[in-house]
Amino acid sequence: MPKRHRGELDGGSTTELQQQRLYLVFDDWDCGYSIRNVKPPLPCKSGDRASESERFEKRLPNPFWRYPADRECPQYFTSAFGTKIMGMHHNDSGIVLMIDVRTRSVVLGPRTNYPAFPIYFPVGVDKLFALDSACLELCRLPLVRPDSDSDSGSSSTDETDSDSESDSYGKWLWRQLQVPTFRTRDATSYAVHSESDGQSQSILVSVKGEETVATFTFDMGKFVWECLGEWTLPFTGRGHFDRKLKALVGLSKDPEAFEYLYACNMPSIGDKHCPAPVWKCSKEKVLSEHLADRHVSASLIYMENRCEYCIVECVWVEEDNADQVKIKGDKADQVLLEKSECVEGVPQRGRYMYRLMTFSLKYDKMDDLRVKCGGRVRYYEVPNTVSAESIREDPVAFWL
């Protein structure tokens, strides 16, 4: 557990503590991971896109927290239950530590569900869905028993509700839901959508397999899966519902539209076998076009309270007179660059860096999707103790 530093709890202002920040997770610690918080770059004052020749390098801040867990598995991290970061890694105790970034405290969370290839869907401040190999599970924030009930010793009628099998007062439990009819490893894109009334919520998952190419929806109220149609969402990985555009926004990793964004109209959830929704591809690229940068991986973060996005891209920056590098990797959109001199698989000549850029999206008069107000590009050097396996994965980042 990290030491308490002056100004973190008793010296900082309330406004500073409550300000949302971007949290980056690295497996650069002998016993696990470090969590560091950074401020995303501000948009350019002129509103124009920043020039790729402008490179603002900043030193990565000291760790906000150190999280003990098995290294080389960054995909087991998720944010959930408001302002908490949790790692669902396997461990002897089975207990999950949740780091509350707002209060800077540790909460003992639910026992790990021992994930294999998880996709996490945090919903609101009280629910976490976990889609994994042949299963879908739900974990709710434990109920708090009213003082009047505990004093009288009587049980609340809420315990007989339909959710009583998954929730009990003061206890964390995972509830098994309807098993999906597709292989989780075939999932290519996914998102959470809430209707305008704020009541109807659903999970969307597109899959491309040897036998199945389709998009499925899971109704969070009815707890059932349905097939929407034999089509897939255009982006890759996680999509974000943009209330201003009324569309799902995601990063494309398809070779034909690599480096661009997609905005996809919401499909008609209530209609079975609905037609593929209309989508737009952005006119501008959002990944680095700098000649010295070689793309490795990227994550798109939605800063909903600001109606803006932040692209967190891992790039390999070659130093002057560096040896020729070799490119290898098992994913079309992500490569691992290796050199002759390495420490734990990470090159020592040349640097891996995280490139951060903020921007917003809009439709122009021609109804084209445009990247608006591209922010100043900021670079942070990735610690050289980060494992090669972690570099292969998309950056783990949360806006909390």
Side-chain angles (χ1 to χ4, degrees):
M1 184 178 298
K3 295 181 179 179
R4 173 178 166 182
H5 298 286
R6 183 181 298 275
E8 288 188 348
L9 291 179
D10 52 355
S13 66
T14 303
T15 302
E16 181 68 18
L17 286 176
Q18 293 182 350
Q19 186 179 30
Q20 287 187 281
R21 289 174 176 262
L22 188 67
Y23 292 85
L24 305 175
V25 180
F26 300 93
D27 71 336
D28 59 340
W29 181 36
D30 290 342
C31 299
Y33 301 77
S34 69
I35 302 175
R36 305 165 191 254
N37 65 72
V38 300
K39 290 183 178 180
L42 297 174
C44 296
K45 294 181 179 180
S46 63
D48 297 329
R49 286 176 57 83
S51 171
E52 283 290 344
S53 62
E54 298 182 65
R55 299 175 65 94
F56 296 90
E57 295 188 14
K58 294 200 65 175
R59 181 183 297 275
L60 200 64
N62 292 329
F64 162 81
W65 207 278
R66 293 195 185 276
Y67 196 101
D70 291 339
R71 298 181 64 189
E72 304 179 0
C73 299
Q75 68 274 19
Y76 292 158
F77 276 96
T78 183
S79 63
F81 309 115
T83 57
K84 298 176 179 62
I85 296 176
M86 53 197 296
M88 304 298 292
H89 303 72
H90 299 188
N91 61 73
D92 294 336
S93 68
I95 301 299
V96 172
L97 299 180
M98 299 194 302
I99 310 303
D100 192 317
V101 301
R102 185 65 52 82
T103 62
R104 305 194 178 195
S105 60
V106 177
V107 179
L108 297 182
R111 296 181 66 87
T112 177
N113 59 345
Y114 298 99
F117 307 100
I119 301 174
Y120 296 112
F121 300 94
V123 178
V125 297
D126 62 346
K127 293 187 286 291
L128 174 64
F129 290 84
L131 177 63
D132 209 337
S133 299
C135 72
L136 176 66
E137 296 179 286
L138 167 64
C139 183
R140 288 184 182 271
L141 193 68
L143 300 174
V144 178
R145 185 185 298 276
D147 293 338
S148 58
D149 289 350
S150 59
D151 293 340
S152 63
S154 61
S155 60
S156 171
T157 56
D158 290 341
E159 293 189 51
T160 61
D161 291 345
S162 59
D163 283 343
S164 62
E165 60 182 331
S166 63
D167 302 313
S168 59
Y169 289 107
K171 294 183 180 180
W172 295 89
L173 292 174
W174 287 96
R175 177 184 179 184
Q176 295 281 345
L177 302 178
Q178 184 183 28
V179 176
T181 58
F182 54 86
R183 294 202 322 165
T184 305
R185 296 194 67 177
D186 292 335
T188 58
S189 50
Y190 41 88
V192 172
H193 171 62
S194 299
E195 297 292 348
S196 57
D197 58 10
Q199 301 298 321
S200 303
Q201 295 178 313
S202 57
I203 294 174
L204 293 172
V205 181
S206 290
V207 297
K208 289 182 180 180
E210 295 180 358
E211 300 179 354
T212 305
V213 177
T215 295
F216 298 84
T217 179
F218 179 80
D219 190 308
M220 297 184 195
K222 300 177 181 178
F223 287 174
V224 293
W225 285 100
E226 292 182 354
C227 179
L228 286 182
E230 296 180 349
W231 46 265
T232 59
L233 298 169
F235 50 83
T236 306
R238 189 177 301 276
H240 307 275
F241 181 65
D242 190 314
R243 296 185 183 278
K244 186 177 180 180
L245 299 180
K246 297 181 180 179
L248 294 173
V249 175
L251 181 65
S252 172
K253 295 183 181 179
D254 189 294
E256 297 181 357
F258 186 60
E259 302 179 305
Y260 293 90
L261 292 173
Y262 278 111
C264 173
N265 289 350
M266 279 301 304
S268 301
I269 301 296
D271 299 337
K272 291 185 177 180
H273 304 290
C274 69
V278 177
W279 50 262
K280 297 281 186 178
C281 184
S282 65
K283 291 295 184 179
E284 297 85 11
K285 296 180 179 180
V286 293
L287 299 184
S288 177
E289 298 183 76
H290 198 287
L291 295 178
D293 295 350
R294 293 197 181 188
H295 173 77
V296 179
S297 57
S299 295
L300 179 66
I301 308 301
Y302 183 39
M303 301 180 291
E304 185 174 4
N305 63 318
R306 292 166 48 167
C307 295
E308 294 179 348
Y309 294 85
C310 181
I311 190 78
V312 182
E313 180 184 11
C314 180
V315 296
W316 168 258
V317 181
E318 295 188 45
E319 300 288 359
D320 294 337
N321 302 319
D323 295 336
Q324 186 176 3
V325 299
K326 297 180 180 180
I327 302 178
K328 75 173 187 177
D330 53 3
K331 296 183 180 180
D333 64 293
Q334 297 180 186
V335 296
L336 176 66
L337 307 178
E338 293 187 344
K339 301 176 71 64
S340 57
E341 297 181 6
C342 300
V343 175
E344 295 187 4
V346 178
Q348 297 304 292
R349 297 183 62 183
R351 297 178 293 171
Y352 282 113
M353 303 195 77
Y354 273 7
R355 171 186 177 270
L356 275 60
M357 186 184 78
T358 55
F359 58 91
S360 59
L361 296 173
K362 70 171 185 177
Y363 291 121
D364 63 13
K365 295 180 180 179
M366 301 299 294
D367 206 27
D368 290 325
L369 182 64
R370 308 306 298 259
V371 176
K372 178 185 176 184
C373 300
R376 295 183 183 277
V377 178
R378 185 177 296 169
Y379 286 79
Y380 292 97
E381 185 170 356
V382 176
N384 59 14
T385 52
V386 170
S387 68
E389 288 74 10
S390 181
I391 288 290
R392 287 191 181 98
E393 301 291 335
D394 288 332
V396 178
F398 305 106
W399 177 250
L400 299 171

